[in-house]
Amino acid sequence: MPAGVVNVVCAADGARAGGRLCGAKGIKKISFTGSTEVGMAIARAATSDLKRVSLELGGNAPFIVLADADLDAAVAGALVAKFRNTGQTCVAANRFVVEAPVAAAFEARLAAAVAKLKLGRGTDAGVELGPLIDDAAVAKVTRLVTDAIARGARIVHGPVPSGTSRLVAPIVLADITSDMQLWREEIFGPVVALRTARDEADAVALANDTPDGLVAYVYTRDGARQARMAEALEAGMVGVNEGLVSAAQAPFGGVKHSGQGREGSRHGIEDYTNLKYVATRVS
């Protein structure tokens, strides 16, 4: 890169540094990746001189398994979508919605697969799940799991987090309801929350029951169902029979409270350009 093109500013006070950037006259565009709360604050600050803003914010991704799905493929996709980086990604599957005819079978297969995951230090051989990022993350996961169990969630696999270690073992919970905190909040940890849907329409309604809309996953063999679900799901990205949607050539971003604008692909580049229309009369 030519000198001055890329500049890195490290600041202990993010609000102060971000405020200066939002108010700087020479800056025409801001791209932010982080929480919805901070993203909204940046959007408000950027209106002072109408800066363009791209926001890649929080997610609450549904992972839908319909009755005609290949359950082995769905389990494999669930492991990727849920447990990559120990569940600490904005595109991590958060709410598992399974159509009633295959709910029990998917639960059993997923729990068996989760039981084989190895937790430990990332430098140790064979480890697949590492620690959560800090003590606050451990406290949040512990709170969400404890609240769900208190409200009637059933433990399918795994111990309840003790809150004493950043190595949090994966846990699978079933019988999830809308009043549980983990249905509303982004988990950011190795917790599977299973809920049964009556049919396809119910699965869509449950999946869209969130102010967020970053990514959604759906497993079904039926081509017509695939098209219907992709259109009906309120998300900026949809993985159809695919648990890993991120790719440099794909437009990455969400709708609703998950943000605006896109990163990656030509759509991400175009967000940094201005469209100019020129009308010329040839005499």
Side-chain angles (χ1 to χ4, degrees), residues 4-98:
V5 172
V6 176
N7 301 281
V8 179
V9 178
C10 299
D13 188 341
R16 182 182 179 189
R20 290 291 295 274
L21 292 172
C22 289
K25 297 298 183 183
I27 293 177
K28 300 294 189 290
K29 164 74 186 286
I30 295 173
S31 177
F32 172 75
T33 299
S35 71
T36 299
E37 180 184 12
V38 174
M40 289 181 172
I42 289 173
R44 287 191 292 268
T47 60
S48 61
D49 61 351
L50 295 181
K51 283 182 173 59
R52 187 178 298 181
V53 177
S54 292
L55 302 171
E56 197 277 283
L57 309 177
N60 192 359
F63 189 102
I64 303 167
V65 181
L66 297 178
D68 65 312
D70 179 333
L71 294 188
D72 290 333
V75 168
L79 293 179
V80 174
K82 172 74 260 185
F83 293 108
R84 186 160 57 108
N85 202 36
T86 319
Q88 299 171 107
T89 73
C90 56
V91 293
N94 215 52
R95 299 167 299 135
F96 287 74
V97 178
V98 187

Side-chain angles (χ1 to χ4, degrees), residues 83 85-88 114-132 157 159 161 165-171 189-190:
F83 293 108
N85 202 36
T86 319
Q88 299 171 107
V114 171
K116 296 177 183 178
L117 295 174
K118 184 175 179 181
L119 176 70
R121 294 172 59 90
T123 52
D124 293 344
V127 167
E128 296 161 295
L129 297 177
L132 297 188
H157 169 79
S165 171
R166 293 185 186 176
L167 289 173
V168 176
I171 183 170

Side-chain angles (χ1 to χ4, degrees), residues 98-109 196:
V98 187
E99 198 172 0
V102 295
F106 179 76
E107 175 186 306
R109 294 191 193 195
T196 302

Side-chain angles (χ1 to χ4, degrees), residues 12-273:
D13 188 341
R16 182 182 179 189
R20 290 291 295 274
L21 292 172
C22 289
K25 297 298 183 183
I27 293 177
K28 300 294 189 290
K29 164 74 186 286
I30 295 173
S31 177
F32 172 75
T33 299
S35 71
T36 299
E37 180 184 12
V38 174
M40 289 181 172
I42 289 173
R44 287 191 292 268
T47 60
S48 61
D49 61 351
L50 295 181
K51 283 182 173 59
R52 187 178 298 181
V53 177
S54 292
L55 302 171
E56 197 277 283
L57 309 177
N60 192 359
F63 189 102
I64 303 167
V65 181
L66 297 178
D68 65 312
D70 179 333
L71 294 188
D72 290 333
V75 168
L79 293 179
V80 174
K82 172 74 260 185
F83 293 108
R84 186 160 57 108
N85 202 36
T86 319
Q88 299 171 107
T89 73
C90 56
V91 293
N94 215 52
R95 299 167 299 135
F96 287 74
V97 178
V98 187
E99 198 172 0
V102 295
F106 179 76
E107 175 186 306
R109 294 191 193 195
L110 182 59
V114 171
K116 296 177 183 178
L117 295 174
K118 184 175 179 181
L119 176 70
R121 294 172 59 90
T123 52
D124 293 344
V127 167
E128 296 161 295
L129 297 177
L132 297 188
I133 188 66
D134 56 24
D135 292 339
V138 175
K140 178 182 180 181
V141 169
T142 302
R143 170 177 61 82
L144 293 177
V145 170
T146 302
D147 170 80
I149 294 172
R151 295 177 187 272
R154 172 170 51 88
I155 301 175
V156 179
H157 169 79
V160 177
S162 65
T164 59
S165 171
R166 293 185 186 176
L167 289 173
V168 176
I171 183 170
V172 179
L173 301 175
D175 302 335
I176 301 301
T177 58
S178 299
D179 63 337
M180 297 175 184
Q181 294 173 9
L182 54 65
W183 182 259
R184 299 295 173 190
E185 296 184 37
E186 189 174 26
I187 298 173
F188 243 63
V191 181
V192 173
L194 290 165
R195 185 166 183 175
T196 302
R198 296 185 302 274
D199 50 29
E200 179 183 323
D202 189 36
V204 170
L206 290 173
N208 290 339
D209 181 29
T210 173
D212 300 306
L214 184 59
V215 62
Y217 306 92
V218 58
Y219 276 73
T220 171
R221 289 187 174 100
D222 188 297
R225 264 187 151 184
Q226 292 171 4
R228 286 197 305 270
M229 295 295 288
E231 183 175 356
L233 291 169
E234 297 171 352
M237 302 174 287
V238 178
V240 178
N241 296 329
E242 175 59 64
L244 181 61
V245 299
S246 304
Q249 66 271 28
F252 188 99
V255 297
K256 301 197 290 187
H257 284 189
S258 288
Q260 61 189 34
R262 292 296 180 267
E263 299 173 355
S265 79
R266 65 177 180 85
H267 302 285
I269 294 296
E270 288 171 354
D271 240 9
Y272 289 83
T273 66

